[in-house]
Amino acid sequence: MLNILKSTYTSILILVLLLLFLFKGIFVTYAYTDGYEFIWDSTGADFINSFLQQGRVISGWINTLVYPQMDHVSDLWRIRGINLMCLFLSSVLIFKMLKQNNINKFHALVITIIFICSPFASIVVHWEATSSTIWGYPVALFAGDIVFTAFLNKNNISKKWFNLILYTGILLALISLFIYQPAYTAFIFPAFLHFITGKKRDAIKQFLLLHVFIYVIYFLLYKFQLNQLHIPPDARAGIMISFKKIAVFIKGVFLRSLHYNVIFASVVTRVIIITVSLLFIGYFIYSKIKNETKNNKWNFVLILAAFFILAYLPNFISSDSFIAYRTMGTILLLSSFLFISSIASMPVKPEYINVAISVIVIAIITVAYFNNKTFVDIQSKEYLAVKNIMAEKLKRGYPKKIAVIMADEKFLEKQNLVPNIVTDEFGKLSNTVYWVPKPFVLLGIYDLTNDKPRTKTIEVTYFKRNEFSTDSLMRQNDWVLDIEKIYLSSNGIQP
């Protein structure tokens, strides 16, 4: 069977089929948190401001072109389709780079598949508001590839060509930063592969210095932009450097990257997976440095650690310390590469190794399918259930005021409808954050009536359960939408 995978075209076909299998949920009608707000508010003059203030001006330009063309929640499959194409392009680039570094084709395909099955991929395709992450990712991968290749072949190409490639790569890197800062971390991936498999360490050091220097250029351009527009920076875009973040990084980011895609699982399961991964990766690193001198051993470990920090650098130095899978694409990629490489390096017959890797990748694909299905099912069921209730209420006429009782963030966990909640991306309803209820309800009514002017006249207020009282309502035809009760009823559970 593995002989079939010797063809690059066969491997790419497998990637295409896997993407279609895992992400068929992009065609389902739903949005997730910010997605409702983006559709409803995208025609406003200040829609782009938050993108500017967060240093994502190119992302803002794209969003101001895309979202005003979308009237209904059902239109969002188009932007998810673009996200899926960007994920495919990123996957092809990753597969190509792995092969360039003489990674076994089967192992290269497996590593690429794990990237496609990662929580990062699931989120940036399904969650419309994080689309910019995957838009910037292939740009950063391509920029890193051409720049690092130029550094490796510096002595074999003319200075003119080297400078042209270098400046093109820097421009593309800056574009990826202005789309979404964490996407730029993918720039380091080709150098990381060469670091693990190659010997030209000088080229790697030069490349990493350039990588950091591009951040400096970006930051100066970002500040210049704000100064020219006379707008303040977003609080999330501030810089905060602290050694305490190293412990948070190791515990909250690095170890989570070793979950691969185990999200809805017990703590015990995750601990076992992390422990096994660390043992394999530790053995692999030891096998790489055991014959090196003491200085070279330390150099290897320090550079390896630097790669992992650079894979998360925008969030590592940001004042916003929230850990989210949408920012972890590159560190997940680095961890999965080391894990598969560690298994492949075991002193065992290749056929046994490939069987073990095949079992692992089948398990990862199965879990990814469950993750994606769970995410889509939760969001689509919430939107449809509330919309059906509103359809019944509209038979009695339009309301003037709607009160939404928001769901608790841990509602699904408390009801045993999901095993646990890991981050804000998985395992909760959209109506758990304050910016969702208004566009969520108004878009639902607009979908039902196609009358936007009338829909805009409706006043929507939102409350946490302990804040709501009947005094919040003033007219007989006012509506109360209790999201938790509606969701439970849609699942056949008596509230």
Side-chain angles (χ1 to χ4, degrees), residues 100-253:
Q100 281 178 341
N101 284 272
N102 299 315
I103 305 298
N104 175 290
K105 278 188 178 180
F106 173 59
H107 300 159
L109 179 62
V110 167
I111 293 164
T112 309
I113 287 173
I114 294 175
F115 174 73
I116 290 172
C117 292
S118 69
F120 165 81
S122 175
I123 286 302
V124 297
V125 172
H126 285 117
W127 185 358
E128 315 77 23
T130 60
S131 297
S132 52
T133 314
I134 199 61
W135 298 344
Y137 211 81
V139 178
L141 280 170
F142 181 64
D145 190 28
I146 62 172
V147 170
F148 187 66
T149 302
F151 273 119
L152 285 178
N153 298 288
K154 189 174 181 179
N155 297 328
N156 301 323
I157 57 178
S158 68
K159 186 176 180 180
K160 179 180 178 181
W161 272 107
F162 175 79
N163 288 334
L164 178 63
I165 294 170
L166 186 66
Y167 295 143
T168 301
I170 291 173
L171 177 62
L172 290 172
L174 289 170
I175 288 172
S176 71
L177 275 162
F178 276 107
I179 294 175
Y180 195 72
Q181 299 91 331
Y184 170 61
T185 57
F187 187 86
I188 67 167
F189 186 61
F192 174 78
L193 291 178
H194 190 80
F195 169 70
I196 299 297
T197 62
K199 296 294 181 183
K200 290 187 179 180
R201 299 286 160 80
D202 288 340
I204 292 171
K205 291 175 182 177
Q206 293 170 11
F207 178 84
L208 292 183
L209 285 173
L210 175 66
H211 174 69
V212 175
F213 180 64
I214 291 171
Y215 275 117
V216 176
I217 298 173
Y218 162 76
F219 186 74
L220 293 174
L221 290 173
Y222 165 60
K223 288 294 186 181
F224 177 76
Q225 163 205 286
L226 294 181
N227 181 263
Q228 292 299 303
L229 296 171
H230 305 290
I231 57 176
D234 189 282
R236 297 171 64 185
I239 292 176
M240 186 182 75
I241 298 174
S242 169
F243 285 107
K244 293 180 180 179
K245 286 192 170 185
I246 294 175
V248 175
F249 171 79
I250 293 172
K251 181 181 177 181
V253 180

Side-chain angles (χ1 to χ4, degrees), residues 404-423:
V404 178
I405 303 176
M406 298 163 59
D408 183 83
E409 186 178 43
K410 294 183 178 294
F411 162 66
L412 295 179
E413 179 185 9
K414 291 174 180 176
Q415 293 293 327
N416 295 317
L417 295 173
V418 296
N420 56 42
I421 296 174
V422 179
T423 69

